[in-house]
Amino acid sequence: MVTYTITQAESSSAASNGNSNVIELQSYPPSQTPSDRKLGISDLEEIRQDSLPPMQAVEVKQRWNSPAGNKWRVFATFWSFFVVGMNDGSFGALIPHLEPYYDLNYTVVSLIFLAPFAGYSLASIANNSVHVRFGQRGVAFVGPLCHLISYTIVAVHPPYPVVVVIFIFVGFGNGLIDAAWCAWLGNMANANEVQGFLQASYSLGATVSPLIATALIQKSGLGWYGFYYIMIAVSAVEFFTSSFTFWKQTGAVYEAENPRDPNSNTGRTRQALKSKVTWLFCFFIFAYVGAEVSLGGWIITFMTKVRGAAPFASSATSTAFWAGMTLGRLFLPYLTSRLGEYPSVILYLGLAFGLELIFWLVPNLVVSAVAVSLLGAFMGPMFPTAIVLVTKLLPRDLHVGCIGFGTAFGGSGGAIFPFMVGAIAQRKGVKMLQPIILALLVVMALLWVMLPRKRGKGHGSGDGGESTPTVGNEL
């Protein structure tokens, strides 16, 4: 295709002939890169992209409903996180039934927490490559497919070692989805609120799954594996909604929307790992998800064995924890936007520490249920707030690398610490859950105060230049 520009030239000869304007057509050479031809970017637009933007240029962020297709894609990400939440929240209700079914002790049954760590680790390695080669389309296809195939196999209740191996693939799908959608929504306008709804979708899934699992086991007569019939259905919906809405988000689109720093001579993930911000974020998420999944996974056993609660009351306590987290992620982001990300998390950590002490030291069923629900509410916003802060401290092209690696760390924390609780509970009893959670909250506070604080409204860095000013490149 030949591209022309139309310019106006004023000449004295033209004026003398009574024509004030002469139209001159000038041919430009064809585009040199296949990705540009695929995207339909003209040579004139290439020249505009390569030119130095004015100093007052600012980044134009996407919104949840703009461009028009975003609202459907955002809905698909919410549903994906709902499925991931159902997966993680169900463990607490299923563990008491897995133990007698396979004749397992606490340590061996805890392997179901440890298995996804391998999957998350693989996802952290593959995440950036999937984005560059296949774009968000690749994540939207592979992540839900891992869920659908894995839950289909688990539903036929194979031997326990097979169940453990299958959850590696579940972890891989979770890792891809977690990093991709957190990075994408974290860079939108009103990121605190949008991230809050995304993470609330996870918490909502974790809220309803223990109730569904308990009801299926107690009232329908199905074994623990009956819950995975439900998971097959929700993951099938996830696969079709994600694949359809993100089909046009190819690798070429991703590279156009997330251009590399021209001065960088390393891969995006490797460049992100050079930042102190990335490592502080990783360890913070490691501790946070470890505390969250340990509480959610062992709270039913704790309430049954230590507090002497009935099975339904124990399940209701787990539901209260996840419901509190859902509400916290829905409503506290508005407070976070007013206070700022940094002081908000300090406040939430202080309140969470006090509530955890009450949950541990006051041996009353009602007090425990109220304390743990409020604990969930104040822990809830910490994860999305940390993601939003990181997107403000690092350049956009490093978001997937940093958040992908961070969520892999988080996934490993969500695997290692629940496994540790199970191993310690085998010797010391499940009462050791509470001091472990308190220690993790202290570690989180120490890591948070080490993070640099945001400077101004741009992507300022507290590390002395780890990030660069971001200039809008949307045309």
Side-chain angles (χ1 to χ4, degrees):
M1 179 182 294
V2 179
T3 304
Y4 296 93
T5 61
I6 301 177
T7 61
Q8 287 188 333
E10 295 184 1
S11 65
S12 57
S13 60
S16 63
N17 293 331
N19 298 324
S20 60
N21 295 321
V22 175
I23 305 301
E24 177 183 339
L25 298 180
Q26 182 177 356
S27 176
Y28 282 89
S31 177
Q32 298 299 314
T33 60
S35 62
D36 289 346
R37 289 195 296 270
K38 187 184 302 182
L39 289 170
I41 300 176
S42 69
D43 299 298
L44 177 59
E45 290 171 327
E46 287 181 37
I47 294 170
R48 289 168 59 191
Q49 287 181 330
D50 293 337
S51 64
L52 184 66
M55 293 299 294
Q56 66 271 23
V58 295
E59 181 182 15
V60 179
K61 292 180 176 289
Q62 295 186 35
R63 305 183 69 87
W64 72 270
N65 58 352
S66 178
N70 269 8
K71 58 185 176 183
W72 303 112
R73 288 191 282 269
V74 169
F75 168 77
T77 65
F78 288 177
W79 185 257
S80 281
F81 265 61
F82 178 79
V83 175
V84 174
M86 286 190 70
N87 175 82
D88 291 353
S90 65
F91 291 147
L94 296 178
I95 281 177
H97 303 279
L98 285 170
E99 290 172 340
Y101 186 87
Y102 288 110
D103 191 22
L104 306 172
N105 58 32
Y106 283 149
T107 303
V108 177
V109 79
S110 298
L111 289 172
I112 201 170
F113 292 110
L114 196 59
F117 166 59
Y120 263 94
S121 300
L122 291 172
S124 70
I125 298 171
N127 226 313
N128 195 68
S129 297
V130 170
H131 274 82
V132 171
R133 294 190 63 183
F134 306 107
Q136 291 175 320
R137 174 203 286 182
V139 175
F141 185 86
V142 175
L145 187 63
C146 287
H147 289 162
L148 184 58
I149 294 174
S150 299
Y151 297 144
T152 302
I153 295 173
V154 173
V156 301
H157 46 97
Y160 189 68
V162 177
V163 174
V164 172
V165 171
I166 288 301
F167 271 95
I168 295 176
F169 294 95
V170 175
F172 181 75
N174 290 352
L176 289 178
I177 290 166
D178 209 350
W181 305 155
C182 285
W184 182 51
L185 298 185
N187 200 51
M188 282 188 175
N190 304 111
N192 278 301
E193 291 83 352
V194 179
Q195 274 286 338
F197 274 87
L198 179 70
Q199 300 299 332
S201 301
Y202 170 91
S203 302
L204 181 61
T207 300
V208 301
S209 61
L211 297 177
I212 295 172
T214 302
L216 282 173
I217 293 169
Q218 292 185 350
K219 296 184 178 181
S220 70
L222 292 172
W224 61 270
Y225 47 84
F227 172 74
Y228 287 96
Y229 301 154
I230 305 294
M231 294 303 293
I232 291 171
V234 296
S235 59
V237 174
E238 177 196 17
F239 177 74
F240 287 112
T241 55
S242 295
S243 299
F244 179 76
T245 56
F246 282 97
W247 192 253
K248 294 182 180 179
Q249 302 303 110
T250 61
V253 172
Y254 173 76
E255 289 199 90
E257 292 180 347
N258 300 270
R260 289 290 312 278
D261 180 354
N263 297 321
S264 174
N265 55 7
T266 61
R268 297 180 192 231
T269 301
R270 189 176 301 176
Q271 187 179 355
L273 293 180
K274 293 180 179 180
S275 169
K276 184 181 78 172
V277 172
T278 299
W279 287 102
L280 289 172
F281 170 73
C282 288
F283 284 110
F284 178 85
I285 297 300
F286 177 81
Y288 171 83
V289 180
E292 175 192 88
V293 179
S294 295
L295 265 174
W298 287 103
I299 191 171
I300 292 179
T301 305
F302 175 85
M303 295 299 292
T304 303
K305 300 292 178 66
V306 179
R307 294 286 189 259
F312 183 79
S314 300
S315 179
T317 305
S318 174
T319 299
F321 171 71
W322 291 111
M325 186 166 287
T326 303
L327 294 174
R329 287 174 169 175
L330 283 174
F331 297 109
L332 286 179
Y334 296 97
L335 177 62
T336 302
S337 295
R338 289 180 174 272
L339 298 180
E341 292 84 10
Y342 190 88
S344 295
V345 171
I346 297 294
L347 173 63
Y348 301 150
L349 279 168
L351 292 170
F353 188 87
L355 290 163
E356 174 58 28
L357 279 176
I358 294 172
F359 182 37
W360 181 21
L361 300 176
V362 180
N364 180 277
L365 182 61
V366 176
V367 173
S368 295
V370 173
V372 81
S373 63
L374 292 174
L375 177 61
F378 290 113
M379 285 185 66
M382 295 181 194
F383 186 93
T385 303
I387 290 173
V388 172
L389 182 63
V390 164
T391 61
K392 293 179 178 179
L393 293 175
L394 292 177
R396 182 169 177 171
D397 64 309
L398 302 186
H399 290 175
V400 169
C402 174
I403 295 173
F405 197 77
T407 53
F409 251 71
S412 62
I416 291 171
F417 286 108
F419 177 79
M420 286 175 54
V421 170
I424 294 171
Q426 187 64 33
R427 294 188 176 185
K428 302 289 185 179
V430 75
K431 62 184 178 182
M432 295 303 295
L433 170 68
Q434 306 304 339
I436 292 174
I437 301 301
L438 278 173
L440 288 172
L441 290 173
V442 172
V443 171
M444 288 165 59
L446 293 174
L447 291 168
W448 189 258
V449 297
M450 294 172 65
L451 275 168
R453 303 186 67 167
K454 176 192 170 188
R455 293 181 180 177
K457 295 186 178 180
H459 289 224
S461 171
D463 292 312
E466 284 185 307
S467 61
T468 57
T470 304
V471 180
N473 53 28
E474 291 86 350
L475 295 176

